[in-house]
């Protein structure tokens, strides 16, 4: 895992212009696909060429990601999708996020002295929440696709049975989880080669996964939740101290939700509602930025960045205090985004000084996470769009593969607050609102986003990165809409992040020029340079209707025009 703090190179860093590393965007006239892996992008293009629409192609890409980027996302995990149907002029949100098993309880990861048991919520069968990806993708295709599930899944089945060539990201992810992968015979069997990590250039064939995908393609999601696959998952859980039962699987249902939308400088920003905090964070921060009367159209301006940091600090404090599964905690969305409240938050920002985080609320924080989880975007020739983020949470999830199925299971239970104030893998803290309860959905930060102007789609974006997801998406929105960067430069531009706790501004290398750094220090900020994070994908609809796509240069993704 990356995300480690680098020493602050205050005196030696030479700042680069934001666009220095950005290649030109890919251009499409009849469609655009952007995913985290070239083979998944190709799967989506194949499905578009066979007459599929954006929904079919997005589902095809998602199934393919589960094969070629299994450490990030797959059928053992869950996620969220925004679906824009141009003819109807509407956007819907599908929540196929994992749920806690019915046998889970609040103190699941605490020892008898009330302390959090290390690794209990991240590794092994007990860390697994009920997977939602298969139900979600099947529902997307049923509700909005044009092809049959089997047609949509064909490229993924092909990739699993023929194999794909392992890349450096795979090697890094599996080396980082080597001990955990070794400990699970199912995982070692699939993801290690004679007990050692696969090397760059090796062919990884996943025969069991191909068979599982084939069963789903022919029998539908029913097979996964009530049939043979459900039986295999429940049996493995029972054997290994896991909590998921046949009843948990049989009762899983994805939920269509109204997306969260808000205005920003004449645009309508549409993103994910609770149980993801992603949309709320994005809209709260944008709401505060829009109130900044001395705002400069310059992404390097220290005063503007100070304001951005202070806005992020306040929105993330709200996340920790108030947010959780809306089925368990009354959603405070309207209250948090109410204009008088945003006015008051804005007025409380001191332009000359940081507000210490612990003055806003109380808890403790931790570390960052890089780029596991996967975002993908498809825009088709009719102007329909899907922006989808899904995950198994940290690299290789719980590091558990259900024997004989090839299914790698998530560790999404770690997104709950195991104990108030104790940070999770992303350094995120929470309290009662995000405490564990049976069938509850852990709070997410995923933020698949679509932006419209005068009813027309102008931008789609999303990223992995745990707690950094909303600020990564935010910066792509600001870079394209406010700072007029093309979409590739907007995605490549170095990032900044503040998440309330720890009270630090995380900066990618070269994010700040020395003068800007000094000005932020002078306002009381602690700046920490970290390894680059995120693996964002974005599509811009150009004024002439062409589609410009960009995959993050931090990853190995591909934008392919059609
Ligand atoms: O739902 C969430 O917010 C996290 N489980 C997402 C994990 C993630 O982005 C991992 N990438 N670094």
């Amino acid at each position: 895992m990356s995300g480690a703090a680098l020493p602050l190179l205050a005196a030696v860093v030479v700042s680069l212009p934001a666009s220095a590393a950005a290649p030109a965007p890919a251009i499409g006239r009849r469609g655009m696909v952007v995913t985290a892996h070239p083979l998944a992008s190709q799967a989506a293009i194949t499905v578009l060429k066979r007459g599929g629409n954006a929904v079919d192609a997005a589902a095809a890409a998602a199934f393919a990601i589960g094969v070629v980027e299994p450490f990030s996302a797959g059928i053992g995990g869950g996620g969220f999708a925004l679906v824009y149907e141009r003819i109807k002029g509407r956007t819907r949100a599908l929540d196929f996020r994992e749920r806690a098993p019915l046998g889970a309880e609040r103190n699941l990861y605490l020892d008898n002295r009330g302390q959090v048991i290390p690794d209990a919520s991240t590794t092994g069968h007990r860390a697994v929440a009920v997977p939602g990806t298969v139900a979600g993708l099947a529902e997307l295709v049923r509700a909005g696709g044009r092809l049959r599930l089997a047609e949509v899944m064909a490229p993924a089945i092909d990739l699993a049975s023929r194999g794909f060539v392992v890349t450096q990201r795979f090697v890094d992810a599996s080396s980082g989880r080597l001990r955990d992968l070794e400990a699970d015979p199912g995982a070692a069997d699939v993801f290690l080669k004679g007990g050692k990590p696969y090397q760059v250039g090796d062919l990884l064939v996943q025969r069991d996964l191909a068979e599982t995908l084939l069963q789903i393609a022919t029998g539908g999601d029913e097979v996964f939740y009530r049939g043979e696959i459900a039986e295999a998952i429940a049996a493995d859980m029972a054997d290994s101290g896991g909590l998921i039962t046949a009843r948990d699987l049989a009762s899983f249902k994805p939920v269509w939700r109204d997306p969260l939308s808000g205005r920003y400088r004449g645009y309508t920003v549409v993103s994910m509602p609770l149980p993801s905090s992603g949309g709320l964070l994005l809209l709260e921060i944008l709401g505060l930025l829009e109130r900044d009367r001395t705002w400069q159209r310059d992404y390097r301006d220290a005063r503007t960045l100070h304001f951005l940091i202070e806005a992020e600090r306040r929105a993330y404090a709200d996340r920790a205090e108030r947010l959780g599964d809306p089925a368990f905690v009354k959603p405070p969305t309207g209250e948090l985004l109410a204009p008088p409240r945003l006015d008051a938050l804005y007025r409380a920002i001191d332009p000359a000084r940081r507000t210490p985080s612990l003055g806003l609320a109380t808890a403790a924080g931790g570390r960052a996470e890089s780029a596991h989880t996967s975002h993908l975007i498809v825009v088709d020739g009719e102007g329909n769009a899907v922006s989808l983020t899904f995950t198994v949470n940290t690299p290789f999830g719980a590091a558990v593969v259900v024997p004989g199925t090839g299914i790698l299971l998530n560790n999404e239970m770690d997104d709950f607050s195991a104990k108030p104030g104790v940070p999770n893998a992303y350094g995120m803290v929470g309290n009662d609102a995000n405490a564990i309860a049976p069938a509850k959905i852990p709070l997410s930060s995923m933020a698949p986003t679509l932006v419209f102007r005068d009813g027309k789609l102008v931008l789609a974006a999303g990223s992995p990165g745990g707690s950094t997801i909303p600020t990564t998406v935010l910066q792509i929105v600001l870079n394209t809409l406010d700072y007029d960067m093309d979409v590739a430069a907007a995605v490549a531009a170095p990032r900044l992040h503040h998440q309330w706790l720890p009270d630090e501004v995380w900066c990618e290398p070269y994010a700040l020029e020395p003068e800007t750094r000094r000005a932020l220090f002078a306002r009381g900020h602690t700046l920490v340079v970290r390894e680059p994070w995120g693996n964002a994908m974005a599509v811009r609809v150009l004024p002439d209707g062409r589609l410009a796509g960009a995959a993050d240069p931090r990853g190995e993704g591909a934008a392919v025009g059609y």
Side-chain angles (χ1 to χ4, degrees):
M1 285 190 229
S2 57
L6 301 176
L8 189 58
L9 308 170
V12 285
V13 167
V14 180
S15 291
L16 298 177
S19 56
I27 299 291
R29 289 170 197 279
R30 288 157 56 201
M32 174 59 64
V33 173
V34 196
T35 85
H37 198 290
L39 293 170
S41 298
Q42 204 48 56
I45 291 285
T46 302
V47 162
L48 285 177
K49 286 188 174 158
R50 288 188 186 147
N53 61 12
V55 168
D56 297 308
F63 278 116
I65 284 286
V67 178
V68 297
E69 202 199 11
F71 50 88
S72 285
I75 62 173
F80 299 96
L82 276 189
V83 180
Y84 169 60
E85 298 160 289
R86 199 183 63 87
I87 294 284
K88 296 187 183 144
R90 70 167 181 186
T91 304
R92 298 208 291 162
L94 187 68
D95 162 7
F96 54 99
R97 172 82 159 165
E98 303 92 323
R99 277 91 167 118
L102 291 163
E105 48 87 28
R106 186 186 176 93
N107 295 336
L108 185 60
Y109 302 116
L110 303 187
D111 64 18
N112 49 21
R113 285 171 299 130
Q115 303 299 317
V116 175
I117 305 166
D119 299 335
S121 61
T122 54
T123 307
H125 290 73
R126 285 212 152 207
V128 183
V130 184
T133 297
V134 174
L137 299 181
E139 173 62 18
L140 284 175
V141 173
R142 231 178 349 249
R146 249 174 230 155
L147 303 183
R148 287 179 300 113
L149 190 59
E151 294 171 283
V152 161
M153 293 181 69
I157 296 170
D158 215 41
L159 287 167
S161 57
R162 287 173 198 247
F164 70 97
V165 174
V166 164
T167 58
Q168 191 63 48
R169 281 186 81 226
F170 187 99
V171 175
D172 292 346
S174 54
S175 307
R177 279 309 283 284
L178 186 57
R179 206 167 42 91
D180 297 331
L181 294 171
E182 279 169 352
D184 182 79
D189 190 39
V190 178
F191 295 120
L192 301 177
K193 190 176 172 185
K196 300 224 158 46
Y198 276 81
Q199 294 304 307
V200 174
D202 285 345
L203 188 72
L204 174 56
V205 174
Q206 298 172 78
R207 284 202 187 82
D208 289 345
L209 182 61
E211 181 53 37
T212 296
L213 292 172
L214 196 59
Q215 278 178 280
I216 298 167
T218 44
D221 49 345
E222 190 66 17
V223 190
F224 189 96
Y225 292 95
R226 292 193 182 79
E228 237 176 89
I229 301 170
E231 282 163 29
I233 296 173
D236 186 38
M237 286 284 155
D239 281 352
S240 310
L243 298 177
I244 297 175
T245 62
R247 200 170 142 227
D248 283 309
L249 290 158
S251 54
F252 188 93
K253 291 254 172 320
V255 185
W256 286 103
R257 300 184 186 274
D258 290 332
L260 200 56
S261 74
R263 303 281 294 168
Y264 177 68
R265 300 192 206 281
Y267 295 93
T268 302
V269 178
V270 180
S271 192
M272 199 47 61
L274 291 167
S276 184
S277 61
L280 186 56
L281 285 165
L282 184 62
L283 291 180
E284 188 171 339
I285 298 166
L286 287 171
L288 289 172
L289 294 185
E290 201 171 34
R291 282 169 168 73
D292 182 7
R293 273 180 237 108
T294 57
W295 175 75
Q296 297 292 313
R297 207 182 178 83
D298 174 3
Y299 69 94
R300 286 161 302 199
D301 176 64
R303 160 88 187 45
T304 300
L305 287 174
H306 169 71
F307 209 85
L308 175 74
I309 293 161
E310 291 303 313
E312 291 179 359
R313 180 197 309 281
R314 284 159 175 81
Y316 276 83
D318 285 342
R319 181 200 198 273
E321 290 252 297
R322 304 284 305 272
L323 304 187
D325 180 350
F328 287 73
V329 188
K330 191 167 170 284
T333 312
E335 187 191 325
L336 295 179
L337 296 177
R341 179 174 189 270
L342 295 181
D343 291 341
L345 283 182
Y346 165 72
R347 281 194 304 270
I349 296 176
D350 178 346
R353 202 68 208 157
R354 102 178 204 276
T355 310
S357 283
L358 289 177
L360 295 172
T362 47
R367 66 193 174 74
E369 177 64 22
S370 60
H372 308 97
T373 290
S374 207
H375 188 76
L376 58 94
I377 298 166
V378 180
V379 183
D380 68 21
E382 291 158 30
N384 305 307
V386 175
S387 185
L388 183 153
T389 316
F390 73 139
T391 189
V392 289
N393 196 21
T394 65
F396 284 100
V400 168
V401 170
V402 181
T405 68
I407 302 169
L408 173 70
L409 294 171
N410 69 83
N411 59 358
E412 219 68 59
M413 291 296 285
D414 187 63
D415 275 349
F416 281 116
S417 169
K419 180 179 176 181
V422 176
N424 75 354
Y426 308 105
M428 296 297 257
V429 289
N431 58 23
D432 286 355
N434 190 31
I436 304 172
K440 189 173 174 182
I441 305 177
L443 186 63
S444 175
S445 303
M446 289 188 269
T449 297
L450 298 171
V451 182
F452 297 84
R453 176 133 209 165
D454 303 326
K456 292 202 175 79
L457 181 68
V458 294
L459 179 70
S463 182
S467 57
T468 60
I469 293 172
T471 56
T472 294
V473 173
L474 171 80
Q475 283 167 99
I476 294 171
V477 169
L478 299 179
N479 291 345
T480 48
L481 305 184
D482 287 346
Y483 304 131
D484 296 328
M485 293 184 202
D486 75 35
V487 72
V491 167
R495 296 172 183 146
L496 289 186
H497 172 77
H498 195 294
Q499 60 179 39
W500 174 55
L501 290 175
D503 191 349
E504 296 168 347
V505 184
W506 295 347
C507 317
E508 286 191 329
Y510 310 116
L512 297 173
E513 290 167 20
E515 200 184 309
T516 316
R517 257 198 316 269
R518 274 193 292 276
L520 291 174
F521 271 132
R523 286 175 169 84
H525 296 291
T526 303
L527 306 178
V528 178
V529 179
R530 287 181 173 264
E531 289 172 25
W533 62 80
N535 190 17
M537 308 291 145
V539 175
R540 181 85 208 248
V541 184
L542 301 175
D544 63 5
R546 286 178 311 150
L547 300 162
D552 203 322
R554 295 161 186 79
E556 61 184 12
V560 183
Y562 171 50

